[in-house]
Amino acid sequence: MELKPGYQQTEVGVIPEDWEIKEIDQICTPSKVRINPLTTITNHKCIELEHLSQGTGQLLGFADSNQLKSQKAVFRNGDVLFGKLRPYLKKYFFPEFDGVCTTEIWVLHPSPSVVNRWLYFIVQSDRFLDIANQSTGTKMPRAEWSIVRKALIPIPSTKTEQTAIANALGDADALIQSLASLIAKKRQIKQGAMQTLLNPYENGQLKMGWVVKKLSDIFEITAGGDLRKDEFSQTADENHQYPIYSNALTNLGFYGYCKSFDYSGSFITVTARGGVGFAVARNCAFAAIGRLLVLKPINDINCQFVSEYINLWIEFANENTGVPQLTAPQISKYEIAFPSKNSEQTRIATILSDMDAEIAALETKLAKYRHIKQGMMQNLLTGRIRLVQPGSNTGAIA
């Protein structure tokens, strides 16, 4: 394939002619500064691996460092942190303060030739992560610097271009974080609305017009069967049109598609193994597997209302000694409170459903922005897209 003007073929692929190829240890070095146990320090944040969000670069919290219990690594404002323990978790952070961290985190100090925020995005790149994941150990794999240090990285020849790349990706991060914060706020608002709208009591008394009944009084309760392998498909097509739901908590339990269905209409499914008790209102034709509990209304009752009530108020006791399980006889004994008028159930359910729809739309947008950022990284960190005109000597690397 013919190269575009201004580009060169290298061992890491096609990059701009004025870019260089360097090994990781030529652009950064892991700090060896340590503080020993029982050393007293003040006014420093102590970061453990659990404080770093997976794949977002966000700090979830920090510990008190006044009296250290184990050896810690020292980091400075502008260093780049990367979790070397189980590197596939993608735990990284760019601290804008001094502090200490677990020695399971690399403190990468940038060389004078690179912009520290550009290095921060390098450790997020597929190239760096692929090398870091060539770990040692099985149960608790760790990235080894002896392997990672030789990783080849394409590097812009000017700090001006490195800064431009870092700024563009930083703006994308800011947009993503802003949207993530909005989603968290919307979830808090919904939680507050649920606790108000689904609360059956007022001044210690059952609200007027509300009733209390066992689930077995208002639902027929059955359990899903085994997966029909001869009817299963991971994707929908002309012959596999009906969704299959399981006990999984992710993706609302969606498992795949089936040629036939077990249920059709308005139902509630409740997870019965592992993470038990998560309810989802269904209004479609579907199949259920893995002993997933299926609740069919006996009378005119709003399934969305009941599913929201179950998730908010009912804590199912584990009556088994092994893996948590929930059976039809067990769930049938639990009581719920609800407005006797279906119209009031529907009113409450609609408010909460609208909130869910708004949150889902924001989550879709967030996933799109994250995908866009990933594409930006692939283009900007390889020079496929240039933010600085070639030939500028501003900020050139010596």
Side-chain angles (χ1 to χ4, degrees):
M1 182 179 296
E2 186 176 350
L3 290 176
K4 290 168 51 179
Y7 285 82
Q8 58 178 320
Q9 182 68 53
T10 71
E11 56 265 62
V12 300
V14 177
I15 66 170
E17 286 182 338
D18 57 325
W19 282 31
E20 302 175 76
I21 301 293
K22 290 190 175 184
E23 295 179 352
I24 281 288
D25 65 356
Q26 293 178 288
I27 63 175
C28 67
T29 53
S31 173
K32 296 182 180 179
V33 179
R34 298 284 189 269
I35 292 181
N36 292 319
L38 303 181
T39 300
T40 301
I41 60 175
T42 58
N43 300 323
H44 277 73
K45 296 176 181 178
C46 179
I47 298 176
E48 305 289 347
L49 274 172
E50 61 265 25
H51 297 141
L52 300 183
S53 175
Q54 184 173 339
T56 69
Q58 298 300 307
L59 184 65
L60 302 177
F62 52 87
D64 182 3
S65 66
N66 286 339
Q67 193 73 25
L68 299 177
K69 300 297 188 294
S70 61
Q71 188 180 76
K72 300 297 178 185
V74 176
F75 64 83
R76 303 299 181 193
N77 183 338
D79 286 335
V80 175
L81 305 187
F82 182 85
K84 62 180 178 179
L85 179 65
R86 292 181 291 183
Y88 53 83
L89 293 179
K90 302 178 183 179
K91 294 200 167 189
Y92 43 78
F93 182 58
F94 184 75
E96 296 181 333
F97 52 84
D98 297 344
V100 296
C101 63
T102 173
T103 54
E104 296 294 358
I105 295 175
W106 273 329
V107 177
L108 300 178
H109 185 68
S111 71
S113 65
V114 302
V115 173
N116 52 4
R117 287 193 68 87
W118 174 84
L119 176 64
Y120 169 62
F121 290 107
I122 286 295
V123 304
Q124 302 175 40
S125 68
D126 291 341
R127 176 174 297 279
F128 182 89
L129 292 170
D130 287 345
I131 298 297
N133 281 320
Q134 297 177 20
S135 312
T136 59
T138 53
K139 292 184 178 179
M140 301 290 278
R142 288 173 173 81
E144 294 293 339
W145 187 252
S146 60
I147 297 174
V148 175
R149 65 187 292 267
K150 294 296 184 180
L152 298 177
I153 300 296
I155 175 172
S157 56
T158 69
K159 285 189 173 182
T160 300
E161 189 164 12
Q162 294 176 29
T163 299
I165 293 170
N167 288 343
L169 295 175
D171 289 345
D173 271 348
L175 182 59
I176 289 170
Q177 181 54 34
S178 175
L179 191 52
S181 297
L182 178 60
I183 291 172
K185 181 178 179 181
K186 293 290 184 182
R187 285 177 177 156
Q188 290 177 346
I189 292 172
K190 190 209 168 183
Q191 188 69 16
M194 289 174 65
Q195 291 177 347
T196 299
L197 296 173
L198 299 175
N199 187 352
Y201 297 99
E202 193 170 47
N203 298 323
Q205 301 293 323
L206 189 67
K207 288 179 180 176
M208 185 177 297
W210 285 56
V211 295
V212 177
K213 291 188 177 183
K214 289 183 179 179
L215 286 173
S216 59
D217 292 333
I218 54 179
F219 291 98
E220 293 178 3
I221 305 173
T222 57
D226 296 328
L227 175 67
R228 297 187 287 273
K229 294 182 180 180
D230 59 333
E231 296 189 27
F232 170 71
S233 173
Q234 291 183 339
T235 57
D237 57 36
E238 184 177 347
N239 295 320
H240 302 85
Q241 302 181 28
Y242 305 106
I244 303 171
Y245 297 113
S246 70
N247 287 293
L249 299 180
T250 57
N251 205 19
L252 297 181
F254 175 75
Y255 188 84
Y257 293 92
C258 193
K259 288 183 178 180
S260 60
F261 59 86
D262 304 314
Y263 309 92
S264 180
S266 182
F267 293 83
I268 297 173
T269 61
V270 181
T271 53
R273 290 182 178 177
V276 303
F278 179 67
V280 179
R282 315 283 188 188
N283 191 9
C284 61
F286 65 95
I289 62 172
R291 311 305 294 170
L292 178 72
L293 295 177
V294 183
L295 283 59
K296 177 183 178 180
I298 297 174
N299 301 311
D300 187 19
I301 193 164
N302 188 288
C303 287
Q304 183 67 39
F305 174 91
V306 176
S307 66
E308 297 277 12
Y309 185 97
I310 290 174
N311 290 334
L312 181 64
W313 295 123
I314 298 184
E315 293 185 11
F316 294 99
N318 180 24
E319 300 180 18
N320 302 284
T321 56
V323 177
Q325 297 187 47
L326 186 63
T327 65
Q330 290 168 353
I331 196 175
S332 66
K333 299 180 293 185
Y334 286 86
E335 294 181 334
I336 68 164
F338 56 93
S340 56
K341 291 184 178 180
N342 183 272
S343 59
E344 178 62 11
Q345 299 171 31
T346 301
R347 184 188 73 84
I348 294 172
T350 299
I351 293 172
L352 298 178
S353 293
D354 289 346
M355 289 182 169
D356 280 338
E358 183 182 12
I359 292 171
L362 291 172
E363 288 175 333
T364 299
K365 185 181 291 187
L366 178 60
K368 178 181 178 181
Y369 287 171
R370 284 175 172 159
H371 182 71
I372 290 173
K373 183 207 166 184
Q374 190 63 29
M376 290 175 63
M377 289 181 63
Q378 292 172 355
N379 286 315
L380 296 178
L381 295 177
T382 60
R384 294 176 193 164
I385 294 177
R386 307 288 298 271
L387 300 179
V388 174
Q389 290 295 326
S392 171
N393 291 322
T394 307
I397 298 172

